[in-house]
């Protein structure tokens, strides 16, 4: 039996917003959230009743976030070599004061940031995440652990800076 | 806060990543309902109104008001059944039910005797539907017996079936099944409970 769509918004609205904020930044997160739920509502009658609705919503949010980045003429992930440079656009923390966890998450390469958001904010399994971002579950797991590692390094560094300042 | 030992748990619980300011989700939800409605993909809109007979759920399709539900029916269960029978594209969208809510409020304050709303009888078919169509012809403040209704719809022996049609009325209050009583004047049954039926009949008797 399929639940009323209202139930999905109630159960997953907050999680999808957190994921959107982590992936495209606060400024654009609300637009991406709207586009996500609107597209989901449109497609909902065709979703199999036993589908994992949260993974499904994050999948749509993933696509909508890519659309949003494209339509703004930017790509968060350069093709080929991925240097760990911060993207100034559409990422969490840009515009925020100070450098808390947000700005550290913002400075992660796009794929690591997404995998971390999908894994730890949406609590999806690496199998689901691999289906969303492409590649193997093992690669998704690696991206998450690399992301965590560099978050740790950045936070340690910013704390040292803070102490010496 | 010391983040140097940051792990998955710290991210999953970090307040700066998970805190959502009050009101944000409500605003997003309202925007979603508004756009969905405008784009014609909101098949069932609903809102809940407070009345002297408790919280009433009002649900509407593109065609009109399709369901009025008492609290005792279980609003969650009613919505689940609408998802099953009509469409799962359901959202709380108070604006789409502004007119219905206003008329219900006017009815309970005694200022309105007839509802003037588009009605969608999609949840009712056959004989039951015929009975419901007749009920709207029973005026405010008046009552009929189950037997009279059966005669009026051309099936005098179907008294029991009229009772069932009233008991399964998807639009209580608006389609006035509360105006149907037993031949001896006793209340019979009511989907909203006998207290609610009494309240409605008293309200109408006092005003009419």
């Amino acid at each position: 039996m399929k639940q009323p769509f209202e139930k999905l918004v109630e159960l997953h609205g907050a999680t999808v917003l957190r994921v959107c904020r982590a992936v495209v930044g606060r400024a654009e997160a609300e637009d991406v959230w709207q586009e996500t739920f609107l597209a989901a509502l449109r497609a909902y009658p065709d979703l199999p009743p036993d589908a994992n609705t949260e993974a499904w919503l994050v999948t749509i949010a993933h696509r909508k976030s890519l659309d949003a980045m494209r339509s703004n003429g930017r790509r968060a992930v350069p093709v080929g070599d991925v240097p760990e440079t911060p993207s100034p656009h559409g990422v969490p923390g840009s515009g925020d004061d100070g450098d808390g966890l947000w700005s550290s998450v913002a400075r992660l390469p796009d794929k690591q940031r997404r995998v971390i958001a999908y894994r730890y904010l949406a609590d999806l399994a690496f199998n689901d995440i691999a289906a969303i971002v492409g590649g193997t579950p093992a690669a998704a797991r690696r991206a998450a652990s690399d992301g965590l590692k560099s978050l740790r390094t950045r936070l340690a560094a910013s704390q040292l800076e803070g102490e010496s300042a | 806060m010391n983040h140097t030992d940051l792990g998955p748990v710290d991210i999953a619980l970090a307040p700066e990543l998970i805190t959502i300011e009050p009101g944000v989700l409500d605003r997003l939800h309202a925007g979603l309902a508004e756009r969905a409605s405008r784009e014609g993909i909101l098949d069932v809109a609903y809102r809940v109104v407070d009345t002297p007979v408790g919280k009433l759920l009002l649900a509407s399709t593109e065609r009109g008001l399709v369901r009025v539900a008492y609290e005792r029916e279980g609003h969650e269960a009613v919505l689940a059944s609408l998802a099953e029978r009509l469409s799962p594209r359901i959202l709380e969208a108070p604006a789409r039910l502004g007119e219905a809510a206003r008329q219900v409020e006017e009815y309970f304050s005694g200022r309105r005797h007839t509802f003037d709303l588009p009605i969608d009888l999609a949840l009712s078919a056959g004989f039951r539907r015929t009975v419901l169509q007749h009920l709207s012809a029973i005026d405010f403040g008046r009552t009929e017996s189950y037997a009279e209704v059966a005669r009026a719809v051309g099936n005098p022996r179907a008294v029991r079936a009229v009772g069932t049609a009233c008991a399964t009325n998807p639009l209580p209050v608006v389609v006035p099944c509360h105006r149907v009583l037993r031949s001896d004047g006793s209340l019979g049954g009511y989907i909203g409970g006998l207290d609610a039926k009494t309240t409605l009949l008293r309200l109408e008797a006092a005003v009419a």
Side-chain angles (χ1 to χ4, degrees):
Chain A
M1 203 197 78
K2 202 172 279 184
Q3 316 185 74
F5 192 78
E6 175 73 23
K7 202 81 195 162
L8 267 62
V9 184
E10 187 187 315
L11 290 173
H12 306 305
T15 297
V16 171
L17 183 60
R18 289 183 192 114
V19 167
C20 290
R21 284 177 170 182
V23 169
V24 298
R26 288 176 92 81
E28 279 181 70
E30 299 196 3
D31 278 348
V32 174
W33 188 98
Q34 293 268 2
E35 294 299 332
T36 297
F37 276 97
L38 205 62
L41 178 63
R42 190 172 280 118
Y44 189 45
D46 298 324
L47 183 73
D50 59 346
N52 174 344
T53 50
E54 189 176 31
W56 177 65
L57 287 167
V58 173
T59 306
I60 299 174
H62 175 75
R63 268 189 254 121
K64 293 297 174 188
S65 70
L66 291 175
D67 288 352
M69 286 176 161
R70 258 182 229 121
S71 74
N72 288 323
R74 52 176 118 107
R75 276 178 181 280
V77 189
V79 182
D81 186 36
V82 184
E84 289 200 19
T85 48
S87 156
H89 302 296
V91 288
S94 45
D96 283 8
D97 299 333
D99 27 18
L101 193 46
W102 267 115
S103 54
S104 299
V105 170
R107 289 193 181 84
L108 291 175
D110 192 65
K111 179 162 182 186
Q112 288 180 12
R113 199 171 70 244
R114 287 174 184 277
V115 168
I116 283 188
Y118 303 159
R119 179 69 191 96
Y120 301 117
L121 295 178
D123 200 26
L124 297 188
F126 285 116
N127 278 338
D128 292 323
I129 296 171
I132 292 171
V133 301
T136 63
R141 187 185 294 274
R142 257 196 319 277
S145 105
D146 290 349
L148 283 179
K149 214 176 290 165
S150 63
L151 275 181
R152 266 185 222 121
T153 312
R154 280 175 208 288
L155 286 164
S158 73
Q159 260 174 6
L160 281 179
E161 258 171 53
E163 277 160 22
S164 62
Chain B
M1 190 156 76
N2 187 349
H3 280 306
T4 45
D5 296 326
L6 184 84
V9 175
D10 303 283
I11 289 190
L13 299 176
E16 59 259 67
L17 291 188
I18 63 167
T19 303
I20 295 173
E21 306 70 21
V24 171
L25 287 169
D26 289 344
R27 179 162 46 77
L28 287 174
H29 183 289
L32 171 66
E34 208 267 321
R35 273 188 70 186
S37 197
R38 195 155 19 101
E39 294 182 24
I41 54 171
L42 180 51
D43 297 335
V44 181
Y46 75 91
R47 84 184 268 173
V48 175
V49 294
D50 269 313
T51 75
V53 291
K55 289 185 194 308
L56 289 182
L57 174 90
L58 309 177
S60 166
T61 63
E62 296 271 352
R63 297 218 298 263
L65 193 67
V66 74
R67 188 76 165 86
V68 175
Y70 281 96
E71 228 170 338
R72 75 203 290 265
E73 298 178 72
H75 289 172
E76 291 273 320
V78 169
L79 290 169
S81 128
L82 293 177
E84 190 88 344
R85 295 186 60 187
L86 297 175
S87 163
R89 283 175 178 160
I90 298 180
L91 281 177
E92 185 167 11
R96 271 257 299 260
L97 288 133
E99 181 58 22
R102 193 172 63 83
Q103 293 196 16
V104 166
E105 199 270 320
E106 288 171 353
Y107 169 81
F108 280 105
S109 67
R111 284 177 288 136
R112 173 173 288 276
H113 292 193
T114 52
F115 286 95
D116 181 18
L117 291 169
I119 296 288
D120 182 352
L121 287 178
L123 295 173
S124 187
F127 183 70
R128 291 183 188 180
R129 191 171 182 145
T130 309
V131 171
L132 297 184
Q133 279 160 343
H134 168 74
L135 293 186
S136 296
I138 310 177
D139 286 339
F140 183 94
R142 290 193 48 249
T143 59
E144 282 184 12
S145 68
Y146 293 101
E148 282 172 317
V149 174
R151 274 201 296 281
V153 297
N155 202 341
R157 286 187 304 169
V159 179
R160 199 168 274 276
V162 167
T164 308
C166 290
T168 57
N169 175 11
L171 291 151
V173 181
V174 173
V175 172
C177 60
H178 59 276
R179 293 176 196 153
V180 186
L181 309 175
R182 289 214 183 105
S183 301
D184 65 5
S186 65
L187 282 178
Y190 188 55
I191 191 167
L194 293 184
D195 284 350
K197 191 168 188 172
T198 307
T199 304
L200 297 181
L201 291 171
R202 282 203 186 128
L203 164 84
E204 297 191 6
V207 174

